[in-house]
Amino acid sequence: MKRGFALLETIVVITFLSVSLLLLYGTFSNMISNSKRNLLYDDASNIYKVYYIKEYLGLDNFKVNGDIEEIDCDGLVSGCNKLLDSFEVENMYITYYDLKNYDSDLYSSSFNNYVDSLSNKGDYNYRLIVEFSDSSYASIGLVGGNYE
Amino acid sequence: MNKRGVTILELLISISLISVVILLLLKLIFSLDNINNSKEYASEDEIARTTIIKNIESDFLKLKLMGVRVKSLDKKVIITFNYLDRAKDLIIEEKSLSYDNQEYKLNSVNATYNLCPSFSYKELDKDYYLVNLNIEVLIDGKSNTKRDDIDLFYVDLISDNVSYPRDLECSK
């Protein structure tokens, strides 16, 4: 009868340990990539930029067609382009505050990820979402106004 | 075969395999420890940055910003925000910012504030102006991602009572 452990047993144990470590690494790298992605969302400076956009462009009274409407400077105040350039704005959207079912294929994956991360707590009807040139996003709720 | 225990070859191979695994694990643990320390500082700095931006922008809106004055000293810059009925100083030093009697230290080892902040004033249209004050965070003395900067904005109506510098001169 052979006593002690064989080379095969050592290899089995090492393989088991390696698989466990790989699984752990996979979980942690997922968590790290999620936290990196969240760094791009709702930065303090960007939230104030969105606030100034809303106030200056008078978006509380903007008439919205559909669940999501992408908006540009057409028909808005004359300094709109100057403001959006200064803030390095890429795209602006007004959406329902409690946005659940929309055609996500029409929008970029970064936009869809951001919408997924949003909380719907709050007494707002609509939401102004702004995408900046560094792919970061920020949004604020819109209250009042003449919505359609 | 009535072999007992392990042969010297098996023992050597086992020890070398286990040593390799332990070495890799130790390397991973040390790198995780380093990442954890730097992330802890980065997250403290991120909280401080968010608090500074929130406090100053709230004052801009509540107290109504009327003007900005900038004084550059040897190792600090004093930015005075003139509000409707009072003034508050933002003091920038290499490793800290002070505003409203509160000091926010920069904990990340290689990070410092740029003692030459950038300031711009522009008229959006005939009625409104936009001002922007940007305090850059440097890593090893070099410009890094804009995401760590203290970036402050203010939009208001143009009036004769407001006073902003057109550009900043600072001693580097």
Side-chain angles (χ1 to χ4, degrees), chain A residues 28-147:
Chain A
F28 278 113
S29 63
N30 239 351
M31 279 169 66
I32 289 167
S33 70
N34 276 346
S35 84
K36 273 183 185 165
R37 202 180 62 191
N38 286 342
L39 278 179
L40 295 172
Y41 297 164
D42 293 321
D43 176 76
S45 182
N46 286 346
I47 289 175
Y48 280 99
K49 285 182 192 172
V50 179
Y51 172 80
Y52 287 123
I53 290 171
K54 184 202 87 172
E55 290 293 308
Y56 180 66
L57 303 182
L59 295 178
D60 254 338
N61 296 314
F62 197 82
K63 291 176 179 173
V64 183
N65 301 309
D67 290 348
I68 304 177
E69 185 163 350
E70 190 171 345
I71 50 175
D72 54 31
C73 285
D74 291 346
L76 296 174
V77 290
S78 61
C80 173
N81 279 319
K82 242 182 185 177
L83 183 74
L84 299 192
D85 286 348
S86 303
F87 286 172
E88 297 178 349
V89 170
E90 198 71 24
N91 292 302
M92 287 191 299
Y93 308 87
I94 292 186
T95 72
Y96 277 122
Y97 195 73
D98 188 13
L99 187 65
K100 278 176 187 159
N101 302 314
Y102 69 99
D103 192 352
S104 56
D105 294 341
L106 296 174
Y107 303 94
S108 66
S109 59
S110 62
F111 176 83
N112 293 330
N113 286 335
Y114 178 67
V115 170
D116 282 346
S117 75
L118 291 171
S119 150
N120 293 327
K121 288 174 192 165
D123 296 325
Y124 299 101
N125 296 316
Y126 287 83
R127 193 192 302 269
L128 171 63
I129 299 177
V130 176
E131 180 186 357
F132 297 91
S133 58
D134 60 353
S135 300
S136 59
Y137 284 84
S139 66
I140 53 172
L142 300 177
V143 282
N146 306 311
Y147 299 113

Side-chain angles (χ1 to χ4, degrees), chain B residues 79-136:
Chain B
I79 299 176
T80 306
F81 297 119
N82 291 317
Y83 298 112
L84 203 56
D85 60 354
R86 74 191 82 167
K88 288 187 183 184
D89 286 344
L90 170 68
I91 301 163
I92 311 168
E93 290 173 279
E94 274 205 345
K95 291 298 278 184
S96 72
L97 282 183
S98 304
Y99 181 74
D100 217 7
N101 299 322
Q102 272 193 300
E103 192 182 28
Y104 306 91
K105 284 199 183 297
L106 204 51
N107 293 299
S108 297
V109 183
N110 303 330
T112 51
Y113 288 114
N114 187 350
L115 292 183
C116 190
S118 70
F119 181 85
S120 72
Y121 169 93
K122 66 173 83 165
E123 289 177 2
L124 295 171
D125 56 35
K126 63 181 175 45
D127 295 322
Y128 283 88
Y129 68 87
L130 163 75
V131 287
N132 170 222
L133 174 70
N134 180 272
I135 304 159
E136 208 176 11

Side-chain angles (χ1 to χ4, degrees), chain B residues 31-89:
Chain B
S31 72
L32 278 177
D33 193 41
N34 282 339
I35 289 170
N36 179 45
N37 283 339
S38 60
K39 286 275 177 207
E40 199 177 305
Y41 289 144
S43 96
E44 280 170 14
D45 289 346
E46 182 57 33
I47 292 167
R49 174 182 171 272
T50 304
T51 314
I52 297 162
I53 291 173
K54 185 181 163 285
N55 289 349
I56 299 177
E57 286 282 3
S58 300
D59 280 354
F60 282 1
L61 293 164
K62 278 184 199 156
L63 305 176
K64 199 167 166 56
L65 185 67
M66 302 297 286
V68 170
R69 268 185 300 122
V70 180
K71 195 175 171 188
S72 189
L73 302 171
D74 184 26
K75 284 198 170 172
K76 65 165 87 166
V77 178
I78 301 172
I79 299 176
T80 306
F81 297 119
N82 291 317
Y83 298 112
L84 203 56
D85 60 354
R86 74 191 82 167
K88 288 187 183 184
D89 286 344

